[in-house]
């Protein structure tokens, strides 16, 4: 939905707005989607440094619509754990993440992502040796996006640094930087591609305005000239001129 799309492109307030609209709609006919929407809202709020409000949203959903299935319970547990981790309430985060894993076992669907969740939690908490086995198990589970792998190397860098394994730590840091640079370059390529599409669209609109002016009786009328100048100005702003 639009909430998910806006979250993926970093438009977190818009994501919250769309998720909330959907949440209000599904409250009329409650089902498991409520908990996924609540998780989406709380995650977007953590990105806006408002994890406390995210906790309130989740608690209100649980109070009004108590989760029943293991899927519903683990969705809420994971979302609450994430909020508390961001709030640096690591003890509460640990409680909810462990609960999340217990509900996974009930559903017989162990998610390898849980190893990464626990590894990140213990790294941020400063419990580095407790983090290591989780990170190692997560690393064993195969392919990652460049961004996820970069973050994983950064977590290993923190863990190895704390243990005095400086050569290994520097190796992870160099891999982290190389991947971060790659992600940044890809983002710039996408940004330039989107800008080019916007430019071509605006250029077509300007050309259309000229044609309309030339095809009308008052080709050089003040209104027509203002319209063309307005579109040209928009184009210049968009290109940074």
């Amino acid at each position: 939905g639009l909430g998910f799309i806006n979250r993926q492109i970093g438009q977190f307030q818009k994501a919250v707005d769309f998720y909330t609209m959907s949440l209000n709609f599904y409250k009329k006919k409650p089902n498991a989607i409520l908990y996924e929407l609540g998780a989406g809202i709380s995650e977007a709020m953590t990105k806006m440094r408002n994890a406390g409000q995210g906790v309130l949203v989740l608690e209100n959903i649980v109070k009004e619509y108590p989760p029943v299935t293991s899927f519903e319970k683990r969705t809420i547990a994971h979302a609450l754990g994430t909020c508390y981790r961001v709030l640096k309430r690591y003890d509460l985060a640990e409680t909810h993440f462990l609960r999340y894993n217990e509900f996974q076992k009930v559903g017989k669907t162990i998610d390898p992502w849980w190893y990464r969740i626990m590894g990140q939690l213990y790294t941020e908490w400063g419990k580095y040796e407790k983090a290591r086995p989780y990170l190692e198990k997560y690393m064993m589970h195969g392919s990652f996006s460049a961004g996820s792998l970069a973050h994983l190397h950064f977590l290993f860098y923190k863990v190895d640094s704390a243990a005095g394994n400086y050569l290994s730590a520097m190796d992870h840091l160099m891999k982290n930087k190389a991947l971060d640079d790659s992600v940044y370059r890809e983002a710039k390529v996408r940004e330039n591609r989107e800008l080019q599409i916007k430019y071509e669209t605006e250029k077509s609109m300007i050309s259309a305005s000229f044609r309309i002016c030339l095809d009308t009786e008052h080709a050089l009328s003040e209104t027509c000239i203002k319209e063309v100048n307005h579109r040209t100005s928009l184009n210049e702003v968009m290109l940074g001129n």
Side-chain angles (χ1 to χ4, degrees):
L2 292 173
F4 176 80
I5 292 170
N6 279 280
R7 185 185 66 179
Q8 293 298 102
I9 63 175
Q11 297 292 324
F12 300 117
Q13 185 55 59
K14 287 184 179 179
V16 169
D17 293 341
F18 283 116
Y19 277 134
T20 302
M21 287 173 59
S22 297
L23 181 67
N24 291 333
F25 173 81
Y26 281 104
K27 280 182 176 181
K28 299 171 186 175
K29 199 171 183 179
N31 58 51
I33 292 176
L34 283 178
Y35 308 99
E36 293 183 279
L37 292 170
I41 292 170
S42 68
E43 182 186 3
M45 285 180 167
T46 64
K47 300 296 186 183
M48 296 190 293
R49 300 182 180 180
N50 198 8
Q53 186 62 36
V55 170
L56 292 177
V57 168
L58 294 167
E59 287 179 342
N60 287 336
I61 291 173
V62 170
K63 183 178 180 180
E64 193 171 354
Y65 308 96
V68 176
T69 68
S70 60
F71 171 79
E72 294 167 353
K73 291 176 181 178
R74 72 174 181 257
T75 299
I76 290 294
H78 176 260
L80 283 169
T82 300
C83 287
Y84 284 123
R85 178 182 58 76
V86 172
L87 290 168
K88 301 185 187 303
R89 297 291 305 276
Y90 299 122
D91 54 337
L92 290 175
E94 181 184 43
T95 297
H96 286 288
F97 285 147
L98 291 173
R99 189 174 296 164
Y100 165 72
N101 191 45
E102 287 302 314
F103 292 134
Q104 282 195 106
K105 290 178 181 177
V106 171
K108 297 182 180 179
T109 54
I110 300 299
D111 185 357
W113 185 252
W114 182 70
Y115 296 123
R116 191 260 197 185
I117 290 170
M118 298 304 291
Q120 181 177 358
L121 170 66
Y122 289 130
T123 301
E124 292 183 10
W125 199 349
K127 297 188 175 185
Y128 299 110
E129 283 311 307
K130 207 167 182 179
R132 185 185 298 279
Y134 289 104
L135 296 176
E136 289 174 345
K137 285 180 182 178
Y138 184 58
M139 180 68 91
M140 291 170 56
H141 277 84
S143 60
F144 310 92
S145 68
S148 293
L149 187 56
H151 187 235
L152 184 56
H153 279 300
F154 180 74
L155 294 175
F156 269 116
Y157 157 71
K158 298 280 285 184
V159 168
D160 280 339
S161 294
N165 300 326
Y166 300 119
L167 287 176
S168 178
M170 289 307 299
D171 180 58
H172 284 297
L173 185 61
M174 291 174 65
K175 289 176 179 176
N176 163 263
K177 188 178 186 312
L179 287 163
D180 274 345
D181 289 345
S182 174
V183 170
Y184 175 77
R185 286 193 298 272
E186 289 177 10
K188 292 301 292 182
V189 168
R190 285 196 303 271
E191 182 181 328
N192 289 335
R193 190 181 300 123
E194 290 170 2
L195 185 60
Q196 184 63 31
I197 292 171
K198 289 180 181 179
Y199 167 71
E200 294 296 339
T201 301
E202 187 62 30
K203 188 168 70 173
S204 297
M205 293 172 68
I206 293 170
S207 298
S209 297
F210 272 115
R211 285 197 298 274
I212 291 171
C213 285
L214 293 173
D215 289 343
T216 58
E217 183 179 349
H218 304 291
L220 298 178
S221 70
E222 184 179 353
T223 301
C224 185
I225 291 172
K226 283 182 177 179
E227 174 65 16
V228 172
N229 286 341
H230 174 65
R231 293 191 181 280
T232 304
S233 296
L234 285 177
N235 193 50
E236 290 175 348
V237 169
M238 184 165 52
L239 290 175
N241 293 333

